[in-house]
Amino acid sequence: MIDTVHQLRCTGCSQRVTQREARSNFRCADCGELFEVEYPAWSSTSVAVHAPALVHANGSHYELPNGLGAPSLPTQPRTWMPNASALRWLWKERRHSALPIDQSGVWRFRELLPILENPNDAVTLREGNTPLLGMPRCAQAAGMERLLAKHQGMNPTGSFKDTGMTAALSVARERGFEWVACASTGNTSAAMAAYAARAGLRCLVLIPEGKIAWGKLSQAMDYGALTCQLRTDFDGCVRVLAEVVEHYPIYLLNSVNPYRLEGQKTPALEMAEEMEWNVPDHVIVPGGNLANCSALGKGFQEMKHLGLTRTVPSISVVQAAGANPLYTSMQTSAGRELTPVHADTRASAIRIGSPASWRKAVRILEQTGGFCEQVSEAEIAIAKAEIGREGVGCEPASAVTLAGLKKLVKDGRVKPSENVVLLLTGHTLKDSEYTIEFHRGNLLSEGEARGYESKIAPLRSEMPVLDASADAVLRVLAAGVS
Ligand code: F0G
């Protein structure tokens, strides 16, 4: 029955397939593009090929309590629009529930992601429900009147990947797969390994040897993944995995899997809920494989379409200058073509030269009026230290958002009075080596730091080694070492 509730729409040629018809690499058999999940009853993109079945399928697990669904208008007999205020009430009520799926910040919104036969079977670690934090010092640093950060690093495995993984891994288990797999710069593998362990599935991780942060590698091992380090970069791992899934019954959990994005759209719903069903003017996200920006965009667009909110924020993407294929594509061809680059940045999570979802990213930039920026290694390090000084902290890849915002404000693309939310994608403990090297003064080369010395110096925390005496500590206090 679930195949009548949702279908997969090719974002290239608009062909529709059921989940069982999708190929193991999640690319369209005709045009090679990626799919997105579409709900025939209410998606704005739908053609109503399956909608009548949905109308008859009102006994499904997604039926709303009495009165939550509004009957369709006579002029639109095949659609079914949920009642926005009833949904808002229901989602809030679930915060008081003891049911695991109600305690999840993803499945709490399950009416907007009806992808499982039975949502009670969802594999959940109570992901989501992350804080939206005021960032007054970072606002000042960026020249903004105010600034918010949605901290997705506060998820169970420390990154935004958990919201997508609960969705796609639950689909994998429901479909009876024994093995799941991903290529990763670290966070996807940590999330996949954790959820696979919870579900009792085996999981294969392909990571580039020596190029992911230890915190993330240790998580995959801790959660029991078969972790293969390949002598290549992330893009090479993706190529190898594409071949593996052709030859082995293994479910691909990279972000080409459209169910991942259904989970990753829910922070948009949380933001709207936290802002009393208003949305920010602008949301800024880091860009790596370029799926998350479109996931959030989908969330905001669906909310507007369903009458839950009135507007869609601009969504901007920031890349590290050393891994900037989308930025270059936007500059040279307005996003029509993308030439892969050799990626090199210390923000290892986004060290990606050939992003799979770049066309989806271009589309969301165009549809929402967002920008694509790039930032240098020094700009990333400074922004990360500034976010740390708020008592918030994040991993390097997340800090590109603040660094990029500074540029957007400086040249007037974002006004100081706008309501901006930075999406902080990973926890500061994911890459503590980066942080320690920054504070020791060993992170950046002289060339990278040139011109930024006066910004870096006050952000560095001292770590003096002292004799074990109160006198020694008191002398340091008197000298005012921060
Ligand atoms: N921020 C963090 C902390 C990430 O781990 C990633 C991606 C991104 C941003 C970029 O998101 O790929 O949707 O544009 N990490 C992937 C991984 C690639 O394997 O963990 P994106």
Side-chain angles (χ1 to χ4, degrees):
M1 178 197 293
I2 201 72
D3 282 348
T4 62
V5 177
H6 84 268
Q7 60 196 14
L8 302 181
R9 186 186 77 91
C10 172
T11 55
C13 67
S14 291
Q15 191 193 157
R16 271 86 175 169
V17 298
T18 64
Q19 63 169 325
R20 276 161 221 287
E21 289 163 350
R23 297 194 305 170
S24 53
N25 63 3
F26 290 106
R27 288 196 177 269
C28 174
D30 285 350
C31 74
E33 257 310 309
L34 299 175
F35 288 97
E36 70 174 8
V37 179
E38 183 184 62
Y39 305 100
W42 53 263
S43 287
S44 61
T45 50
S46 357
V47 288
V49 279
H50 292 160
L54 183 102
V55 172
H56 296 309
N58 265 350
S60 83
H61 301 283
Y62 295 93
E63 186 183 9
L64 294 173
N66 280 344
L68 288 186
S72 53
L73 299 173
T75 47
Q76 299 165 309
R78 292 178 169 198
T79 60
W80 174 90
M81 294 293 270
N83 176 328
S85 31
L87 279 179
R88 290 190 199 114
W89 171 85
L90 177 67
W91 293 338
K92 201 167 175 184
E93 278 301 295
R94 283 183 181 151
R95 280 180 170 275
H96 305 293
S97 159
L99 256 190
I101 52 167
D102 288 347
Q103 290 181 354
S104 159
V106 170
W107 299 107
R108 192 158 67 83
F109 300 107
R110 53 191 173 272
E111 286 72 20
L112 295 204
L113 55 147
I115 54 178
L116 297 178
E117 289 282 349
N118 183 355
N120 284 304
D121 290 342
V123 184
T124 175
L125 284 163
R126 318 298 190 269
E127 53 290 318
N129 294 322
T130 56
L132 188 63
L133 302 163
M135 305 287 281
R137 293 188 214 177
C138 291
Q140 204 176 11
M144 296 292 294
E145 288 169 15
R146 70 196 88 79
L147 182 61
L148 292 169
K150 176 79 173 153
H151 208 323
Q152 292 300 98
M154 303 296 186
N155 269 295
T157 76
S159 88
F160 74 104
K161 305 288 183 179
D162 294 344
T163 56
M165 209 47 80
T166 183
L169 194 130
S170 298
V171 170
R173 185 168 73 169
E174 198 168 74
R175 293 205 40 207
F177 279 87
E178 277 171 30
W179 276 91
V180 292
C182 72
S184 181
T185 57
N187 282 325
T188 303
S189 56
M192 182 184 77
Y195 284 83
R198 297 295 296 175
L201 303 187
R202 306 289 312 277
C203 78
L204 169 71
V205 164
L206 301 188
I207 51 167
E209 189 202 7
K211 292 180 189 140
I212 78 166
W214 286 113
K216 302 172 189 179
L217 177 60
S218 67
Q219 283 181 289
M221 297 173 79
D222 204 22
Y223 305 137
L226 168 56
T227 308
C228 301
Q229 305 188 70
L230 304 192
R231 290 185 202 94
T232 177
D233 54 13
F234 169 80
D235 302 301
C237 291
V238 169
R239 279 193 296 276
V240 171
L241 188 56
E243 268 187 55
V244 172
V245 297
E246 293 291 314
H247 295 101
Y248 203 80
I250 194 162
Y251 192 72
L252 182 62
L253 281 174
N254 274 96
S255 54
V256 292
N257 181 321
Y259 298 106
R260 281 265 311 273
L261 307 198
E262 290 308 286
Q264 285 176 214
K265 77 185 180 189
T266 57
L269 279 74
E270 283 186 10
M271 272 184 244
E273 187 185 54
E274 284 166 284
M275 297 174 82
E276 306 281 335
W277 300 100
N278 292 303
V279 297
D281 299 310
H282 212 122
V283 177
I284 304 185
V285 301
N289 218 11
L290 295 174
N292 199 36
C293 48
S294 62
L296 287 171
K298 188 172 191 277
F300 283 115
Q301 288 172 334
E302 287 179 352
M303 277 191 288
K304 176 165 183 273
H305 177 66
L306 294 175
L308 285 155
T309 52
R310 285 198 305 276
T311 53
V312 170
S314 297
I315 296 179
S316 287
V317 176
V318 185
Q319 297 202 293
N324 65 354
L326 180 67
Y327 175 80
T328 309
S329 159
M330 296 303 287
Q331 296 294 312
T332 56
S333 71
R336 279 190 299 280
E337 283 158 28
L338 182 134
T339 310
V341 302
H342 173 72
D344 188 15
T345 168
R346 290 187 191 84
S348 57
I350 51 173
R351 192 187 286 148
I352 296 174
S354 181
S357 299
W358 69 274
R359 282 189 201 278
K360 284 189 179 182
V362 169
R363 219 166 286 132
I364 214 67
L365 292 178
E366 284 171 352
Q367 288 170 358
T368 67
F371 309 104
C372 185
E373 251 309 337
Q374 64 169 359
V375 290
S376 70
E377 294 296 300
E379 288 164 338
I380 298 170
I382 291 166
K384 178 172 144 45
E386 286 167 338
I387 293 166
R389 283 289 171 105
E390 292 268 22
V392 171
C394 65
E395 71 164 282
S398 311
V400 300
T401 53
L402 177 60
L405 173 65
K406 290 179 190 172
K407 292 190 159 176
L408 298 179
V409 176
K410 199 166 176 192
D411 64 14
R413 282 177 286 172
V414 169
K415 292 192 202 65
S417 59
E418 283 183 49
N419 290 316
V420 176
V421 176
L422 306 180
L423 199 92
L424 302 182
T425 45
H427 199 281
T428 186
L429 291 175
K430 286 279 189 171
D431 196 350
S432 43
E433 206 178 324
Y434 180 106
T435 312
I436 291 170
E437 291 302 294
F438 174 81
H439 292 289
R440 280 187 176 146
N442 297 335
L443 183 76
L444 301 168
S445 70
E446 239 174 76
E448 287 170 330
R450 196 163 300 126
Y452 293 99
E453 294 85 348
S454 63
K455 290 226 159 72
I456 292 171
L459 287 167
R460 278 183 52 203
S461 301
E462 299 292 331
M463 214 180 359
V465 178
L466 306 173
D467 287 337
S469 77
D471 267 359
V473 178
L474 289 169
R475 270 197 302 278
V476 171
L477 280 174
V481 171
S482 59

